[in-house]
Amino acid sequence: MMAATASYPRRWRAPGLFGSPGRRLAFWAVVLAYLAWSLSTLNIDTARVLAGLPRAWTILERMVPPDFSRWHLLLTGMAESIQIAIAATIAGAVFSVPLGIAAAANLSPRPLYLAARAFIVVGRTFHEVIIAIFFVKLFGFGPVAGLLTLAFSSAIFLGKMLAEDIENMKPGPVEAIRATGASFGQTFFYAVVPQVLVKTLGVLIYRLDSNLRHSTVIGIVGAGGIGQTLSASFTRYDFDFASAILLTIAAMVAFGEWFSDWARRRLR
Amino acid sequence: MTAHQQPPRGTAPARTYPDRWERYSPRERIVHWLWLGGIALAAAWSVSALDIEWAFFADAHEQAVDLVERMWPPRWSYLPRIVQPLIETLHIATLGTMIAVVFALPVAFLAARNTTWNQGTWLIGRAMLVLSRSINTVIWGLVFVAIFGPGPVAGICAVAARSVGFIAKLVAEAIEEVDAGQVEAVESTGATTLQVYGVAILPQILPVLIGTTIYRWDINVRESSVLGFVGAGGIGLLLYASINQFAWSQALVILIAILGIVIVSEALSAYVRSRIV
Amino acid sequence: MAAEVQAAGRPRPLLAVEGLAKVYPTGKKALGGVDIVIDRPQLVAVIGSSGAGKSTFIRCINRLVEPTAGRVLLNGQDIVALDRKGLRAARRRIGMIFQEYNLVERLSVMQNVLSGRLGYVGLLAALRYRFPPQDIQAAFALLDRVGLAGYHDRRADALSGGQRQRVGIARALMQRPDLLLLDEPTASLDPKTSRQIMRLVRELVAERQTPAIINIHDVALARAYADRIIGMKDGLIVFDAEAGSLTEAALTQIYGEEDWSSPQEEDEDIPAGAAAMASLGMTS
Ligand SMILES: Nc1ncnc2c1ncn2[C@@H]1O[C@H](COP(=O)(O)OP(=O)(O)OP(=O)(O)O)[C@@H](O)[C@H]1O
Ligand SMILES: [Mg+2]
């Protein structure tokens, strides 16, 4: 059934997308050429891949049923991930405010603006795991590195969103408050904050949710949380425990997503 | 509205006015404090349980400076060695995304209320979405390395496994919002279900499908840069090795290269999407 | 009070603008040397076609737009020469009212009105809305005065345009200003509300003995409520006299040739050629 659904569209995709049969042909030629090139450069060991398929079955078999008997270990790891996520969101939020102001073209002087934007662009480029490994090198293994990693990337993400909201706000009220002789700080709290507060809170809740998700992965490089437990269980071929962890993570992430949707809807 | 027509016209108000005004009622104030207290408690719980060794922070800046000094200058002679892994990283992202599209389409039709067969198939579709989305690409990498052994195949599968849910979720939302009139028009010609999907729905969701796929591709470039940390191929392997060998000036070259490909692919993706949508 | 000072024969005018000029970074010369003197509390209307530089003029006075040259003397103090801190102090004494009201929409009416006192309280007090009791009293009195008694806890975005503009006026008056600047305060309002607002402004000028400069497109409103009319064209003042002496010739000088006596609606759809012929007919 699925295969049929997938193959049918192909016949109809062409006219809308490519216009003429010639361009459709060109598209598929490019795709095929790319496949040939990439698969040849990747030098994939076909034998090992084929051997993997039955192994996948074995692993799957060993994953079911999931083994929740070491629940205390699971719970400790989960709690640590949640703690990392909460602390990182709060710390990130605190640092995002100055960053967001500095990166808003309508509030900050040009050189500062450019510097803040460059910082955001570079910081956003690197995956959390890369940042985590640097903090692990600086602060040693453990949750502190994870906390700092997520705080850093949260500050950058929240700062970027804040800067965009500040740039999109109405300039009129800011001008009006400034015209009363208010200081920069007063203008910020009276004209800028009311305009961006609700959106920013929404983004903050979203970020808490996504930190929860990221906190499960930075453990891979030793930055604490459930990811460390998971990674250990995989290296020890402890697949039934791994599947228990995976299920718990999935449940927590689904709950986090639901919570974040709910909380953002409640912000009027 | 007509108060300014009142007789007394003087600088001093004829009536007396309250000289106290509170922004918040006592109840609102209590609620605010409760929120603040709750957040403070959550923060305290999180930070205290994390067992933070504050002493580490004392010399953190020195360590950071030390690190920067050891990284600089970048060892450019290492650049030729990383070209192949960089290409591999891009391939992992691209092939993974391509596979994901193929699987995402049927999953999206399963997970959209108006195209799924029944409650059961809808639940299956939703469960696939949740499973795929809630497990990070890197963790999928762990799983597939266990299956296929280290190498780019595990990376491609990891990228595909995570992207299926991402693409399918957005496409399913688009399917649920398609113009029902067009669907009915095709249905009334006596077309089979699959024909309806192909003729009436697919063209409508195509822009979303393409846009989402390209967007996911540039996310995947970023994700593939670290898949090597768990042995799933790409540049991450060399970065991990360089850092573990304290070859910092070499690590810096890799970081700059990653910066380059991520920024370029992000710009490319934004450009293509702006042309299409 | 200011009138008494005037009666005492003090030579210093309330507001004197000398050679005020503005060239925008785009190279656009929006103000080409403007001089005016206001020596008593009066309502001064500034008219002129779109792009004549009215807003630029008014904004250069409190330096929301930084003038390129010239002086603005408010009670003898040159605002253009002030540093940031001095400028903030000077702005406290200049109330400004905007076409789009520029209220902070998510704040309540009271918060908006009190923001007129920001220049006088510290940051922390402002954050906690700790304003002196006499300010709060004054705010209630002003809301009553502009016809919004009882509206203090309404959110600003739940008000009509006319009500918002009244809040804007109350906010400006909270500053106890020495000068009021109004940039097309009635342009977004219906004719009746416009007249109410103009009447209110006129009364307030008299009550508080505060001069006001008002940009306005509606010549009839300007004639009806202003004491003095200034006509601007291409960044220069081309007319400056009592409201009564605004003749059709003067209007032509300010706005260009037009049949001022015919109803406005009629000439809207006239093609360019016909309009030119009509204006030829008028001049011949
Ligand atoms: N920020 C700016 N940058 C560049 N040029 C500007 C700027 N603001 C105004 N101008 C130009 O300066 C001239 C005067 O503009 P101003 O807004 O003062 O006119 P106005 O008389 O208030 O017009 P209106 O009646 O339409 O409000 C116009 O030609 C305008 O295009
Ligand atoms: Mg204007």
Side-chain angles (χ1 to χ4, degrees):
Chain A
M1 212 67 224
M2 271 191 205
T5 337
S7 70
Y8 244 104
R10 270 186 214 133
R11 275 165 55 182
W12 295 102
R13 187 186 301 189
L17 185 54
F18 307 110
S20 70
R23 292 178 66 186
R24 185 194 326 173
L25 208 67
F27 173 79
W28 287 113
V30 168
V31 170
L32 282 180
Y34 174 76
L35 283 178
W37 174 52
S38 57
L39 292 178
S40 68
T41 47
L42 285 180
N43 56 51
I44 289 165
D45 189 342
T46 333
R48 220 173 60 188
V49 173
L50 287 180
L53 290 176
R55 192 157 57 221
W57 184 245
T58 330
I59 291 174
L60 213 61
E61 260 181 347
R62 285 177 50 193
M63 279 182 156
V64 188
D67 170 21
F68 284 98
S69 63
R70 271 165 288 169
W71 54 269
H72 57 277
L73 208 61
L74 185 71
L75 222 60
T76 326
M78 272 320 219
E80 194 166 89
S81 276
I82 295 173
Q83 287 163 337
I84 290 176
I86 292 176
T89 308
I90 294 174
V94 170
F95 287 109
S96 76
V97 175
L99 182 61
I101 296 173
N106 51 349
L107 286 191
S108 116
R110 196 76 189 160
L112 183 62
Y113 162 78
L114 290 175
R117 283 283 163 173
F119 181 68
I120 288 176
V121 167
V122 173
R124 250 167 52 86
T125 305
F126 295 113
H127 198 281
E128 282 79 6
V129 173
I130 295 184
I131 296 167
I133 196 168
F134 275 90
F135 280 118
V136 167
K137 287 290 157 194
L138 281 180
F139 293 94
F141 289 102
V144 175
L147 164 64
L148 292 173
T149 302
L150 291 185
F152 177 82
S153 51
S154 303
I156 286 184
F157 176 82
L158 295 172
K160 179 171 183 274
M161 300 308 269
L162 181 62
E164 261 149 40
D165 285 343
I166 292 178
E167 286 176 353
N168 289 334
M169 74 186 173
K170 288 200 216 154
V174 181
E175 213 167 41
I177 298 292
R178 197 175 282 160
T180 66
S183 63
F184 180 85
Q186 289 173 330
T187 310
F188 182 75
F189 283 110
Y190 269 68
V192 179
V193 170
Q195 291 198 65
V196 300
L197 187 64
V198 171
K199 259 231 186 94
T200 304
L201 283 181
V203 176
L204 197 65
I205 294 169
Y206 168 79
R207 186 65 207 188
L208 177 63
D209 166 36
S210 73
N211 275 343
L212 213 56
R213 271 187 267 182
H214 288 135
S215 66
T216 61
V217 62
I218 49 176
I220 305 275
V221 290
I226 189 74
Q228 221 161 326
T229 324
L230 180 66
S231 155
S233 70
F234 264 105
T235 48
R236 277 191 264 114
Y237 305 108
D238 215 349
F239 293 120
D240 48 357
F241 187 41
S243 70
I245 297 175
L246 286 177
L247 282 179
T248 318
I249 290 179
M252 182 188 69
V253 168
F255 170 78
E257 194 166 304
W258 171 83
F259 171 78
S260 130
D261 281 348
W262 172 82
R264 277 181 292 161
R265 257 201 317 269
R266 279 211 44 193
L267 287 171
R268 29 232 149 217
Chain B
M1 292 309 310
T2 51
H4 57 277
Q5 287 161 357
Q6 278 172 3
R9 292 267 165 82
T11 33
R15 284 169 46 188
T16 53
Y17 297 98
D19 64 356
R20 281 182 58 80
W21 165 83
E22 298 289 348
R23 168 74 184 89
Y24 300 107
S25 68
R27 210 176 130 247
E28 283 172 320
R29 208 169 288 213
I30 290 173
V31 171
H32 285 180
W33 281 113
L34 284 180
W35 267 109
L36 269 182
I39 293 172
L41 270 180
W45 172 66
S46 303
V47 173
S48 68
L50 287 180
D51 235 355
I52 294 175
E53 191 75 64
W54 294 103
F56 270 131
F57 285 85
D59 66 338
H61 58 283
E62 285 165 24
Q63 293 231 34
V65 169
D66 184 47
L67 193 60
V68 170
E69 272 169 2
R70 273 192 269 172
M71 283 176 129
W72 200 261
R75 208 182 120 205
W76 291 115
S77 60
Y78 189 62
L79 202 56
R81 285 268 321 272
I82 62 173
V83 172
Q84 181 57 32
L86 278 177
I87 293 176
E88 188 176 283
T89 306
L90 288 172
H91 284 330
I92 290 172
T94 312
L95 293 173
T97 313
M98 285 166 103
I99 295 174
V101 180
V102 174
F103 285 100
L105 214 49
V107 173
F109 276 94
L110 268 189
R113 280 182 190 281
N114 52 341
T115 52
T116 196
W117 279 269
N118 52 46
Q119 193 73 21
T121 54
W122 180 77
L123 273 177
I124 293 174
R126 283 281 144 182
M128 286 162 103
L129 285 194
V130 171
L131 188 69
S132 156
R133 281 160 44 75
S134 56
I135 295 177
N136 195 290
T137 307
V138 181
I139 295 179
W140 276 119
L142 274 179
V143 174
F144 284 107
V145 167
I147 295 173
F148 295 118
V153 174
I156 294 169
C157 292
V159 165
R162 172 65 181 82
S163 306
V164 165
F166 181 90
I167 298 173
K169 179 174 187 233
L170 294 174
V171 171
E173 275 163 18
I175 293 175
E176 284 176 352
E177 278 159 24
V178 294
D179 176 12
Q182 291 184 38
V183 179
E184 277 166 17
V186 177
E187 264 170 4
S188 66
T189 65
T192 68
T193 313
L194 287 183
Q195 280 171 330
V196 172
Y197 290 178
V199 181
I201 296 182
L202 198 63
Q204 291 192 58
I205 58 158
L206 206 54
V208 174
L209 177 66
I210 295 172
T212 313
T213 305
I214 296 171
Y215 177 49
R216 186 66 213 184
W217 172 76
D218 95 62
I219 297 178
N220 283 343
V221 172
R222 192 167 169 272
E223 303 262 17
S224 328
S225 68
V226 296
L227 278 172
F229 282 47
V230 293
I235 187 76
L237 194 63
L238 287 183
L239 181 59
Y240 201 36
S242 300
I243 290 175
N244 280 336
Q245 296 157 14
F246 302 101
W248 294 108
S249 56
Q250 201 166 295
L252 182 58
V253 175
I254 299 176
L255 287 179
I256 293 172
I258 291 176
L259 186 73
I261 61 168
V262 172
I263 287 181
V264 167
S265 55
E266 207 176 284
L268 190 70
S269 147
Y271 170 76
V272 174
R273 274 180 290 144
S274 73
R275 288 291 304 272
I276 290 174
V277 193
Chain C
M1 190 185 77
E4 287 158 16
V5 173
Q6 194 60 35
R10 201 151 128 212
R12 205 160 69 179
L14 301 174
L15 177 77
V17 174
E18 298 168 2
L20 195 64
K22 172 67 186 177
V23 181
Y24 280 107
T26 54
K28 169 78 194 173
K29 199 171 176 211
L31 279 187
V34 167
D35 301 278
I36 64 160
V37 172
I38 299 180
D39 51 13
R40 74 198 118 94
Q42 57 179 185
L43 183 54
V44 181
V46 181
I47 60 173
S49 40
S50 224
K54 304 183 298 295
S55 298
T56 307
F57 169 58
I58 234 176
R59 282 157 178 270
C60 277
I61 292 177
N62 65 354
R63 278 172 61 189
L64 280 182
V65 168
E66 205 60 55
T68 325
R71 304 208 298 162
V72 174
L73 299 164
L74 180 64
N75 295 331
Q77 186 186 36
D78 183 6
I79 292 175
V80 179
L82 292 172
D83 61 1
R84 281 169 58 106
K85 205 163 160 243
L87 175 63
R88 253 190 278 139
R91 277 178 177 167
R92 293 182 201 168
R93 293 181 287 127
I94 306 175
M96 189 155 188
I97 292 154
F98 303 81
Q99 175 184 344
E100 296 301 336
Y101 329 120
N102 287 352
L103 302 182
V104 183
E105 295 193 344
R106 295 190 57 88
L107 297 187
S108 70
V109 166
M110 195 57 166
Q111 285 171 295
N112 271 290
V113 173
L114 283 174
S115 67
R117 294 306 290 174
L118 282 176
Y120 298 90
V121 298
L123 179 59
L124 268 180
L127 275 181
R128 295 165 59 230
Y129 295 100
R130 288 280 170 273
F131 288 86
Q134 63 268 28
D135 282 354
I136 288 171
Q137 204 164 31
F140 276 114
L142 267 173
L143 280 177
D144 191 8
R145 177 66 188 84
V146 299
L148 288 178
Y151 280 74
H152 52 273
D153 278 337
R154 279 267 202 115
R155 246 169 67 162
D157 53 9
L159 298 179
S160 73
Q163 291 169 333
R164 288 183 203 203
Q165 196 57 291
R166 287 161 197 271
V167 177
I169 292 172
R171 174 173 65 189
L173 291 177
M174 268 314 275
Q175 296 174 240
R176 299 196 197 99
D178 295 340
L179 173 68
L180 275 174
L181 302 174
L182 301 94
D183 196 354
E184 299 185 29
T186 60
S188 307
L189 301 175
D190 69 64
K192 181 166 179 229
T193 316
S194 295
R195 295 177 72 85
Q196 288 175 347
I197 294 286
M198 287 301 287
R199 195 179 308 128
L200 177 60
V201 171
R202 190 187 160 82
E203 288 167 2
L204 289 167
V205 166
E207 268 171 32
R208 306 194 152 226
Q209 294 290 299
T210 309
I213 302 178
I214 177 167
N215 282 349
I216 192 160
H217 276 299
D218 190 327
V219 176
L221 270 188
R223 269 205 179 111
Y225 293 98
D227 302 304
R228 173 179 166 190
I229 290 181
I230 288 177
M232 283 189 76
K233 187 177 183 178
D234 301 333
L236 292 171
I237 290 184
V238 294
F239 177 88
D240 185 352
E242 300 257 303
S245 54
L246 184 71
T247 58
E248 282 190 9
L251 283 175
T252 303
Q253 196 187 0
I254 298 167
Y255 288 103
E257 310 243 309
E258 183 55 79
D259 181 2
W260 298 108
S261 47
S262 73
Q264 270 178 356
E265 294 80 27
E266 275 182 20
D267 42 38
E268 253 176 16
D269 287 324
I270 300 178
M277 274 161 63
S279 64
L280 277 177
M282 200 182 85
T283 45
S284 65

